[in-house]
Amino acid sequence: MLRDLMPALRDTSRTLLRTGVVRSGLEPLPASEADMIRAIVRSPA
């Protein structure tokens, strides 16, 4: 079931990395936290 969500999670992650900071008005994630999210998206199980 989680693997079925992978394409959506990957696309959401990419979109947020590209546009999320500017549109949200929030500070960007530190590189280490962004790397952790990418790792989770790539290998959820």
Side-chain angles (χ1 to χ4, degrees):
M1 180 172 159
L2 188 54
R3 290 191 187 274
D4 296 335
L5 294 174
M6 287 300 296
L9 291 173
R10 184 184 57 243
D11 293 345
T12 300
S13 175
R14 288 179 180 164
T15 299
L16 288 174
L17 285 170
R18 249 190 351 263
T19 63
V21 173
V22 173
R23 296 182 95 182
S24 70
L26 299 173
E27 293 294 319
L29 286 176
S32 60
E33 291 180 22
D35 288 342
M36 182 59 68
I37 291 172
R38 283 188 209 99
I40 292 168
V41 168
R42 289 181 189 131
S43 300

